[in-house]
Amino acid sequence: MSFPVQRPRRLRQDSRLRKMIRQISVEPQQLIYPLFVVEGLEKTREISAMPGQMHWPVSQIHEPVAAAMKNGVEAFILFGVPSAKNSDGSCAARPDSVVCEAIRNIRQHCPEAYIITDVCLCAYTTHGHCGVLDASGCVDNDPSLSLLANMALAHVKAGADMVAPSDMMDGRVGAIRKLLDAEGFSQVPIMAYSAKYASSFYGPFREAAGSAPGKGDRRGYQMDFAVSRDAMTELQLDLEEGADILMVKPGIAYLDILAEARRQFSCPLAVYQVSGEYSMIKAAAEKGWVNERQVALESLIAMRRAGADLILTYFAPQVAGWLREEKN
Ligand code: PBG
């Protein structure tokens, strides 16, 4: 049977019917809002490469949290920008690190906020790599694991609800799980950045987090975007090591990976709409070339359609506000 019996347009003529048969939605509680907290900062300042996103002092980090929660966003992921770094990034595990202080502040002012922390050494190492370096300057996998696990433990002790390792060292989920369990935190979930690509879409973030590698790039540990074979292996390994939620990152250019992950895994999946994706929409919208609201929502719906349960996005509070307007 085909045209003229089949007329797919019939279902598109009436906005009520279109709404009735919509499959995909995005809800504020599916969004995770990334926040940058900067040690020693006196007052809030805009991140120039990410219009609308701020560097927050510890003393004010609860403000964006409270504001987003008013619109129904309840989960946050914290990125710390420390005032001092060291060669092995071990300062990341200090109980008074900028992230630990931020967690305590948020807990005090917004006890209901769900606090996730990014676990990676890149903002804490003087060389800007996500793990420690060996004598030849290569990122040394195994000695990095305990440093990452210690960082995660410090965050959890300070009150983090969940940790999210983003470093891409092999075995780090297992190392973190083991240490958290041994320390009595077996109920704290891990969201693993599992299929994380060496992407230039992270450009604006490196300004935001001050985490660009001094020498070289991250292609020795993050994934090659011209290969898709190893993605499911990475996800499977993290699951076996004890990850509770698996992430694909970046978002819009990696929906094939996300869709395949959805077919193969039944655990919750997250996707990260990264800084470059955000800033590109912002920039084009500023020029009047695209409609910011529509393009942002369309991108998030596309990620949900591909199979994401959760979306990390800098648009979180804005989108939640739009969704609320649409419901009213
Ligand atoms: C840390 C980390 C990065 C991002 C999240 N965690 C940067 C990187 O890997 O270089 C990128 C997030 C974004 O671009 O929004 N390793």
Side-chain angles (χ1 to χ4, degrees):
M1 241 192 314
S2 65
F3 179 81
V5 177
Q6 282 285 344
R7 286 182 182 270
R9 286 190 56 201
R10 264 186 220 122
L11 291 173
R12 299 179 195 138
Q13 301 310 305
D14 186 313
S15 67
R16 293 164 304 173
L17 178 56
R18 284 200 301 272
K19 270 192 218 154
M20 281 160 66
I21 60 175
R22 274 201 115 176
Q23 288 180 281
I24 317 289
S25 66
V26 57
E27 303 293 336
Q29 66 270 19
Q30 295 156 343
L31 305 178
I32 300 171
Y33 186 28
L35 291 167
F36 299 96
V37 59
V38 181
E39 192 167 26
L41 189 68
E42 305 243 313
K43 58 178 206 293
T44 306
R45 98 184 148 215
E46 193 172 40
I47 299 165
S48 63
M50 300 175 70
Q53 301 305 310
M54 305 289 173
H55 277 144
W56 296 96
V58 170
S59 61
Q60 278 175 271
I61 188 66
H62 60 281
E63 291 175 11
V65 171
M69 286 181 79
K70 282 210 179 87
N71 280 332
V73 174
E74 295 182 333
F76 303 86
I77 182 163
L78 298 180
F79 292 93
V81 185
S83 53
K85 306 179 188 236
N86 60 4
S87 65
D88 64 359
S90 55
C91 55
R94 290 172 52 152
D96 61 348
S97 75
V98 62
V99 169
C100 292
E101 299 290 2
I103 295 168
R104 285 188 278 267
N105 180 357
I106 296 170
R107 271 281 164 269
Q108 191 190 337
H109 291 88
C110 310
E112 302 299 317
Y114 194 87
I115 307 173
I116 306 167
T117 61
D118 185 83
V119 173
C120 186
L121 300 179
C122 62
Y124 299 83
T125 51
T126 41
H127 46 75
H129 281 288
C130 302
V132 290
L133 302 184
D134 65 16
S136 66
C138 288
V139 173
D140 203 354
N141 195 88
D142 297 7
S144 304
L145 301 181
S146 60
L147 290 154
L148 291 159
N150 289 338
M151 179 180 186
L153 179 63
H155 293 172
V156 171
K157 280 186 172 167
D161 292 298
M162 183 191 280
V163 289
S166 68
D167 53 284
M168 287 303 279
M169 296 303 117
D170 294 331
R172 90 280 203 211
V173 172
I176 292 171
R177 185 72 275 158
K178 202 165 149 204
L179 184 62
L180 292 183
D181 289 359
E183 295 283 331
F185 298 108
S186 61
Q187 293 305 313
V188 174
I190 298 175
M191 174 167 67
Y193 289 69
S194 302
K196 174 172 175 177
Y197 288 85
S199 171
S200 293
F201 286 98
Y202 308 152
F205 176 94
R206 306 240 164 116
E207 181 209 314
S211 64
K215 246 201 301 199
D217 53 43
R218 304 207 199 288
R219 286 184 286 188
Y221 40 103
Q222 298 180 351
M223 294 162 69
D224 181 352
F225 54 76
V227 176
S228 69
R229 286 184 298 268
D230 52 355
M232 297 307 119
T233 310
E234 284 282 7
L235 294 155
Q236 182 66 41
L237 286 170
D238 285 355
L239 197 62
E240 285 168 10
E241 288 175 33
D244 302 279
I245 300 176
L246 303 176
M247 193 198 300
V248 172
K249 177 184 173 195
I252 206 80
Y254 294 80
L255 297 186
D256 55 330
I257 306 294
L258 181 59
E260 183 61 23
R262 180 72 297 160
R263 283 189 284 273
Q264 297 203 23
F265 296 92
S266 57
C267 67
L269 296 176
V271 66
Y272 200 142
Q273 181 184 48
V274 301
S275 56
E277 300 178 63
Y278 170 83
S279 297
M280 280 162 50
I281 295 174
K282 283 279 174 189
E286 262 173 33
K287 288 198 170 259
W289 292 344
V290 299
N291 179 308
E292 176 179 358
R293 174 173 173 161
Q294 287 167 8
V295 170
L297 281 170
E298 184 178 329
S299 312
L300 299 186
I301 290 286
M303 291 170 200
R304 295 268 304 145
R305 192 183 63 231
D309 299 292
L310 300 170
I311 305 174
L312 294 84
T313 174
Y314 303 97
F315 279 113
Q318 232 183 325
V319 162
W322 293 330
L323 293 172
R324 201 148 94 154
E325 274 173 37
E326 280 175 18
K327 285 210 172 106
N328 291 337

